[in-house]
Amino acid sequence: MTSRHHYHAKRKSTMMSSNKHTAKRRLEFPLHALPEKNKKCILRTGTKSLLFINQDIIYNIVSRLTLKDAVRTSLVSSTWRQLWTSYPNLCFDSPTMLNLKIGSGSKRTRHRFIRRVNAFLESHAGIGLRTFQVAFALDNKHAKYLDRWFRFALASKATEITLNMLPEIDRGSTQSWKGAYTLPFHMFDRQSASRIESFQLVFMSLKLPHDFYGFNSLRVLDLQRVHISGDLGLLLSKCNALESLSLYRCFPLQNLKVQQPLHQLRYLSFRECFQESLEFDAANLAKFEYSGRAPMDITLGEPINLKEATITLLEYDDTLEQVFTELPKSMSSVETLFVNTHLKTQRVDISGFFGLRGQLELVWYILDNALTLRSMSIDPRVRAYHRAIGYFEGLDLDIKNGRKCAFKFIPQYDYPNVQIEIF
C-alpha cells in the first residue's frame, strides 16, 4: 500500500508538474510568433482566449513607439529585422538623431546629423509614411540634402510635413533671413500636393508660383518666421479644405486678401506679421487671434459661429477708439473678446459708470496699462449724446450704485501716480 500510494503520489506530482509546464509554455507566446498577414491564430490561456487577426497588429504596435524604440525592435528576432523600415512617423531632430537637446551649433554637428538622416532614409522602405518632420537648424547651404529629404517625403506619400529650420530650443538664434532654405515648390505635382493635410514651415523662404494648383486636402497650415514672395492670398484661395491657419512673424504681408470663401476655416491666427489689412470670407470661423499694430483693417465676412477673439495691440497708442468702434464691425457675433493693449493717454473721462463688472474691469485695465496716465474722472451720470433726445442723465439708483462701487473698488492709494476724481 505504501509503495502503490507513493507511486500514485509521484505520478500525480509528475502530472501536475507537466500541467504547469504546459500552462507555462502556453503562456509563453512571443509577439514575433504572430502569424503572417491574413492568417488567424487563437491563443488559449486557461479559460481565456486571445484572437490575433493578422500581422497588421504588429505594425500598429511599432507605429506607436518612438523612432528610436521602433529601430530597436529589429533586435527582437530575425522576422522583426525589417519592421522599422515601414515606420510611418519620421521625426529627425537633435534628441532623436544625436542624443542632444541642442545640436546645431557647429559645422561638425550639422554634418553628423545629415549623415545619420541620410543613412536612415536609405534603409527606410519609403512606404506607409504618414508624418515627416525635420527640426534642425539648417539653411540654404544644405539645400541639396533638404531637397532630397523633401522629395523622399513626397514620394513616400506623407500627409503631414514639418520643416523646422529653427527649433524651439534655438529660437533666440540670430540667423540671417538671406540664408533661409527655400522650399522647392517645383517638386509638387497635383497628386503629391493633394495628399498634404498638414504643413508647418519654420524659418524658411517661400517663393509662391502664380500658377500653383493649391492643396486640395490641406487642413492645417502653420507658417512661422517665413519670408513670403508671391501672392499668399491666391494660394489660400486654392485651399478649400483649410480648417486652421496660423502665421507668425511672416513678411512681407502688408495686405492679405483671400478671394475665395474658406467655408471650412475654424481657427485663424495672425501674430506680429504687421500687415495693414486682412480680408477673409470665413463664415464658420470659431476662433480668431491677432497681434500687431493699430489701426488695422480686419474683414472676416460674416462669421456667425465666432465664439472667441483675442486682439493684442503691440504699440503704445490711443487705441481704445478702434477697439470699441472698428473691431465690432468685423466681429459682430463674437461671444468673448479679449483685448490686450498699451495706452499713452494722459487724461481719461468716463461717464455712465454704474458699477457693472465689465466697466470696472475696463477701468482697472486702463489704470494698470496706461503708463503715462495722470488723471481719470469717473462719473456715474450718463453724459452721452443721442441724436434724437440730446444729452440725457442716468437714473438716480444707477448713479448711487456707481458712486458706491467706484469708491470701494478704485481707491486712490492703489494708484498714487494718477489723480482719480469720482463725481
Side-chain angles (χ1 to χ4, degrees), residues 219-360:
R219 296 182 295 103
V220 178
L221 178 61
D222 185 0
L223 304 180
Q224 302 178 28
R225 301 173 184 250
V226 176
H227 183 275
I228 301 175
S229 302
D231 192 346
L232 179 61
L234 180 61
L235 173 63
L236 295 176
S237 298
K238 300 176 182 179
C239 301
N240 301 323
L242 199 61
E243 299 176 7
S244 174
L245 174 62
S246 178
L247 277 78
Y248 172 68
R249 291 194 178 182
C250 298
F251 78 98
L253 286 175
Q254 293 183 350
N255 299 286
L256 180 58
K257 182 177 182 180
V258 181
Q259 301 285 351
Q260 299 298 322
L262 297 178
H263 296 301
Q264 304 302 320
L265 194 64
R266 302 290 188 272
Y267 173 73
L268 179 60
S269 174
F270 280 81
R271 295 178 296 141
E272 301 181 37
C273 295
F274 299 108
Q275 65 274 24
E276 296 177 358
S277 65
L278 186 65
E279 186 172 345
F280 276 76
D281 185 357
N284 293 306
L285 191 66
K287 186 175 182 179
F288 175 65
E289 295 179 351
Y290 170 80
S291 96
R293 311 185 280 223
M296 171 65 183
D297 185 12
I298 300 176
T299 303
L300 301 176
E302 297 182 1
I304 58 177
N305 296 319
L306 188 59
K307 305 296 183 185
E308 180 180 319
T310 301
I311 308 296
T312 302
L313 303 177
L314 300 178
E315 295 182 340
Y316 290 85
D317 202 352
D318 298 331
T319 54
L320 287 182
E321 180 179 358
Q322 181 180 5
V323 170
F324 292 121
T325 60
E326 297 300 323
L327 289 179
K329 295 178 183 179
S330 58
M331 290 174 277
S332 57
S333 63
V334 66
E335 296 182 1
T336 305
L337 175 63
F338 298 96
V339 178
N340 304 306
T341 186
H342 300 281
L343 305 174
K344 61 179 182 182
T345 301
Q346 295 184 345
R347 177 165 181 81
V348 175
D349 186 9
I350 299 175
S351 67
F353 184 85
F354 302 147
L356 302 177
R357 178 70 183 183
Q359 292 177 328
L360 190 58

Side-chain angles (χ1 to χ4, degrees), residues 11 28 74 81 87 198 209-210 256 305 322 368 403 412:
R11 182 181 180 186
E28 291 178 348
S74 61
R81 194 162 296 160
Y87 187 73
S198 176
H210 182 76
L256 180 58
N305 296 319
Q322 181 180 5
D368 291 335
R403 186 176 292 117
Q412 176 68 66

Side-chain angles (χ1 to χ4, degrees), residues 18-57:
S18 177
N19 289 338
K20 288 181 179 179
H21 180 71
T22 302
K24 182 178 180 181
R25 186 170 56 188
R26 285 177 179 172
L27 289 172
E28 291 178 348
F29 190 85
L31 196 58
H32 61 77
L34 285 176
E36 297 178 359
K37 190 173 183 179
N38 297 327
K39 291 184 180 180
K40 295 183 178 180
C41 173
I42 296 180
L43 172 65
R44 292 185 175 87
T45 58
T47 59
K48 298 181 179 179
S49 297
L50 299 177
L51 176 63
F52 296 102
I53 299 180
N54 55 47
Q55 203 169 8
D56 287 343
I57 297 176

